[in-house]
């Protein structure tokens, strides 16, 4: 049976993965809108069963690395990019893995170091704009101690492991609300009620996380932190058997603010231990404005989808600019993806339609249209319900202040590139 027939034999309900959890390795860190790991695993597995020669997979918007980890666990060599350094830090940890024989003694030492620093008051000063708005003074003191202790660790890879764990503690003890990905300060009562277990929680985090990641490394991987449009331009055409991704569904500032979600962690982590441009944390919204459709967008679309043209004409002028910017960036990314896919290669996209000015943005149909233009054949469509709330209930607000509900459905499109 070919893959299309195999996929037709499943009900759409099956793909809801009602009881699926992103546990184990996928629970080591929080990142907005992760894909459902068991679903991606099964889809990739079906693709590999049909195409036993497939070896190389690309996710140009890897987020917390769900598809990269699942692809790697199935024996694929994986390539990934994300513009957000926090997504890079999380995915790197999941793929590079940590040897318990190195981490366990290092844990013992760092705990000792932290306890000594707590007694001696010798932690290195660390600060950034508005630090006291986002962290309580006693929390800042403890975070400075941990930060100092991490910088004293001599092994780079072990430091990276600690930065990952530290990032999660930073977020947990920040004064930002958990009900939104945007930065909003909690009510002052809630801030003062918060118990300070910063050090204890960090100790527990470093003792547990490496066990969830697993060891040893499963295979070769290639991660780059940066704009996937620029990075994809440097890759050779026809390089990948599979492109599997969940791209942003709109500009970050008005859909999911991945950058704002990550900025407090990044302001504490030492970027010298990673390969990303430290300028991206210059201000709280810089990552979001560098992302697809953000203020820095300067691309031209090669193909203007008719669906987009008629949709845009119904929007307010302000939103028209945003959708045009997002579309042109996305069309550039899509064109590059089709160029990088090998003949007979497969592209799996997980997508959703969001609301803009109370009108549904027909992103799924736009993808079908662009794919057809670039010669990809649509093999199968899965419409699934998003069972677990992976997003806060409300993601953004309209200009009149009314909240917009987040999506409860998503679609997986499977495309195939022709032989030539
Ligand atoms: C929907 S998320 C990906 C979810 C991911 N597939 C997962 O499993 O967690 C989209 C990602 O695209 C990234 N992104 C946005 N614009 C980008 C760009 N120009 N280059 C690279 N990554 C970008 C965002 O930082 C975000 O992490």
């Amino acid at each position: 049976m070919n893959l299309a027939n195999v996929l037709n034999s499943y009900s759409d309900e099956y793909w809801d993965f009602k009881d699926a959890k992103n546990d184990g390795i996928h629970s080591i860190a929080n990142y907005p809108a992760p894909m459902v790991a068991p679903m991606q695993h099964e889809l990739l597995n079906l693709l590999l069963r049909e195409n036993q020669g497939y070896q190389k997979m690309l996710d140009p918007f890897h987020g917390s690395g769900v598809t990269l980890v699942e692809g790697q666990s199935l024996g694929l060599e994986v390539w990934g990019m994300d513009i957000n350094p926090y997504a890079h830090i999380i995915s790197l940890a999941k793929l590079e893995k940590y040897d318990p024989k190195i981490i366990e003694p290092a844990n013992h030492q760092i705990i000792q170091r932290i306890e000594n620093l707590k007694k001696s008051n010798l932690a290195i000063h660390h600060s950034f704009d508005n630090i006291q708005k986002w962290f309580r003074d006693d929390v800042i003191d403890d975070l400075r101690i941990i930060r100092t202790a991490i910088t004293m660790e001599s092994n780079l890879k072990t430091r990276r492991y600690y930065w990952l764990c530290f990032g999660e503690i930073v977020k947990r003890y920040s004064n930002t609300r958990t009900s939104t990905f945007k930065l909003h300060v909690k009510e002052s009562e809630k801030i003062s009620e918060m118990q300070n277990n910063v050090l204890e929680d960090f100790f527990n985090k470093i003792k547990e996380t490496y066990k969830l990641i697993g060891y040893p490394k499963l295979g070769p991987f290639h991660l780059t932190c940066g704009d996937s449009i620029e990075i994809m331009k440097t890759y050779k055409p026809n390089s990948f058997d599979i492109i599997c991704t969940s791209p942003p569904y709109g500009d970050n500032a008005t859909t999911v603010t991945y950058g704002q979600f990550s900025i407090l962690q990044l302001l504490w982590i030492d970027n010298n231990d990673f390969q990303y441009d430290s300028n991206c944390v210059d201000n709280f919204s810089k990552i979001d404005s560098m992302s697809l459709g953000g203020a820095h967008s300067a691309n031209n679309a090669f193909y203007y989808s008719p669906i987009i043209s008629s949709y845009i004409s119904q929007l307010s002028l302000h939103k028209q600019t945003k959708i045009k910017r997002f579309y042109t960036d996305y069309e550039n990314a899509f064109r590059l993806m089709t160029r990088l896919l090998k003949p007979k290669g497969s592209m799996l996209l997980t997508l959703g339609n969001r609301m803009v000015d109370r009108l549904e943005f027909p992103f799924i149909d736009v993808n079908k249209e662009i794919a057809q233009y670039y010669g990809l054949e649509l093999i199968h469509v899965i419409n699934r319900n998003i069972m677990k709330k992976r997003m806060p209930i409300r993601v953004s607000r309209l200009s009149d202040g009314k909240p917009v509900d987040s999506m409860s459905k998503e679609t997986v499109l499977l495309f195939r590139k022709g032989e030539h």
Side-chain angles (χ1 to χ4, degrees), residues 206-327:
I206 61 175
K207 285 182 202 157
E208 294 308 318
T209 303
Y210 71 94
K211 296 179 196 158
L212 297 170
I213 294 173
Y215 187 80
K217 197 172 88 166
L218 291 180
F221 67 88
H222 315 262
L223 284 189
T224 318
C225 185
D227 182 350
S228 57
I229 297 181
E230 294 311 315
I231 300 164
M232 283 194 284
K233 282 181 193 162
T234 68
Y235 288 7
K236 286 201 189 105
N238 305 332
S239 295
F240 297 99
D241 301 295
I242 303 175
I243 295 183
C244 180
T245 194
S246 169
Y249 305 161
D251 65 293
N252 284 10
T254 46
T255 48
V256 180
T257 50
Y258 296 98
Q260 275 194 45
F261 174 87
S262 313
I263 190 73
L264 296 176
Q265 298 89 307
L266 293 170
L267 285 166
W268 278 98
I269 292 172
D270 184 356
N271 68 286
N272 289 312
D273 286 343
F274 299 91
Q275 290 186 336
Y276 62 83
D277 178 3
S278 59
N279 295 331
C280 68
V281 296
D282 281 353
N283 68 56
F284 281 30
S285 38
K286 189 143 175 204
I287 298 172
D288 292 317
S289 59
M290 282 160 52
S291 297
L292 232 57
H296 292 272
S297 163
N299 291 304
N300 282 318
F302 280 47
Y303 166 70
Y304 232 87
S305 141
I307 299 181
I308 273 288
S309 308
S310 82
Y311 177 72
I312 285 179
S313 65
Q314 302 170 61
L315 299 173
S316 63
L317 281 179
H318 173 64
K319 295 283 180 184
Q320 284 191 5
T321 315
K322 290 194 165 216
I323 293 287
K324 270 189 205 155
R325 241 177 5 210
F326 173 71
Y327 175 78

Side-chain angles (χ1 to χ4, degrees), residues 95-113:
L95 296 169
E96 78 172 346
K97 318 257 183 218
Y98 304 99
D99 184 348
K101 288 205 200 84
I102 295 178
I103 293 298
E104 281 159 13
N107 279 353
H108 189 71
Q109 284 175 9
I110 198 172
I111 292 172
Q112 204 76 74
R113 227 179 281 140

Side-chain angles (χ1 to χ4, degrees), residues 154-405:
S154 59
N155 179 315
L156 170 66
K157 202 171 154 188
T158 307
R159 281 202 302 280
R160 288 208 288 250
Y161 171 68
Y162 290 143
W163 292 129
L164 168 91
C165 298
F166 182 51
E168 291 301 288
I169 303 301
V170 166
K171 185 75 178 179
R172 191 180 305 165
Y173 283 97
S174 71
N175 296 340
T176 181
R177 295 176 193 215
T178 50
S179 55
T180 162
F181 296 136
K182 290 198 170 163
L183 287 176
H184 283 301
V185 180
K186 284 182 193 157
E187 293 94 344
S188 51
E189 245 172 51
K190 289 210 172 126
I191 295 175
S192 41
E193 271 168 12
M194 193 169 56
Q195 290 253 352
N196 178 348
N197 288 323
V198 171
L199 301 185
E200 222 21 68
D201 283 2
F202 180 71
F203 297 161
N204 290 333
K205 183 78 188 156
I206 61 175
K207 285 182 202 157
E208 294 308 318
T209 303
Y210 71 94
K211 296 179 196 158
L212 297 170
I213 294 173
Y215 187 80
K217 197 172 88 166
L218 291 180
F221 67 88
H222 315 262
L223 284 189
T224 318
C225 185
D227 182 350
S228 57
I229 297 181
E230 294 311 315
I231 300 164
M232 283 194 284
K233 282 181 193 162
T234 68
Y235 288 7
K236 286 201 189 105
N238 305 332
S239 295
F240 297 99
D241 301 295
I242 303 175
I243 295 183
C244 180
T245 194
S246 169
Y249 305 161
D251 65 293
N252 284 10
T254 46
T255 48
V256 180
T257 50
Y258 296 98
Q260 275 194 45
F261 174 87
S262 313
I263 190 73
L264 296 176
Q265 298 89 307
L266 293 170
L267 285 166
W268 278 98
I269 292 172
D270 184 356
N271 68 286
N272 289 312
D273 286 343
F274 299 91
Q275 290 186 336
Y276 62 83
D277 178 3
S278 59
N279 295 331
C280 68
V281 296
D282 281 353
N283 68 56
F284 281 30
S285 38
K286 189 143 175 204
I287 298 172
D288 292 317
S289 59
M290 282 160 52
S291 297
L292 232 57
H296 292 272
S297 163
N299 291 304
N300 282 318
F302 280 47
Y303 166 70
Y304 232 87
S305 141
I307 299 181
I308 273 288
S309 308
S310 82
Y311 177 72
I312 285 179
S313 65
Q314 302 170 61
L315 299 173
S316 63
L317 281 179
H318 173 64
K319 295 283 180 184
Q320 284 191 5
T321 315
K322 290 194 165 216
I323 293 287
K324 270 189 205 155
R325 241 177 5 210
F326 173 71
Y327 175 78
T328 51
D329 276 355
Y330 188 69
E331 196 269 351
N332 272 269
F334 201 108
R335 177 164 32 83
L336 288 161
M337 292 195 285
T338 56
R339 197 170 74 107
L340 296 187
L341 200 59
K342 284 185 189 168
K344 293 193 185 170
S346 299
M347 179 141 89
L348 261 176
L349 300 180
T350 303
L351 307 163
N353 288 346
R354 67 189 185 102
M355 302 298 281
V356 180
D357 272 359
R358 295 195 182 83
L359 278 175
E360 193 170 310
F361 175 46
F363 190 46
I364 296 161
D365 285 344
V366 166
N367 271 271
K368 290 182 189 167
E369 217 174 46
I370 311 178
Q372 195 181 19
Y373 181 78
Y374 286 112
L376 299 185
E377 186 192 351
L378 181 60
I379 302 285
H380 192 74
V381 179
I382 296 169
N383 292 307
R384 61 181 303 274
N385 294 303
I386 303 175
M387 305 307 289
K388 285 255 172 301
K389 265 284 158 225
R390 288 179 286 135
M391 313 257 273
I393 298 170
R394 305 271 151 79
V395 286
S396 59
R397 284 181 187 276
L398 295 170
S399 42
D400 60 9
K402 295 219 172 83
V404 180
D405 289 353

Side-chain angles (χ1 to χ4, degrees), residues 31 34-35 61-64 66 82-83 226-228 246 248 258 291-292:
Y31 192 73
M35 292 160 99
F61 304 99
H62 66 59
S64 56
V66 171
D82 204 290
I83 204 156
D227 182 350
S228 57
S246 169
Y258 296 98
S291 297
L292 232 57

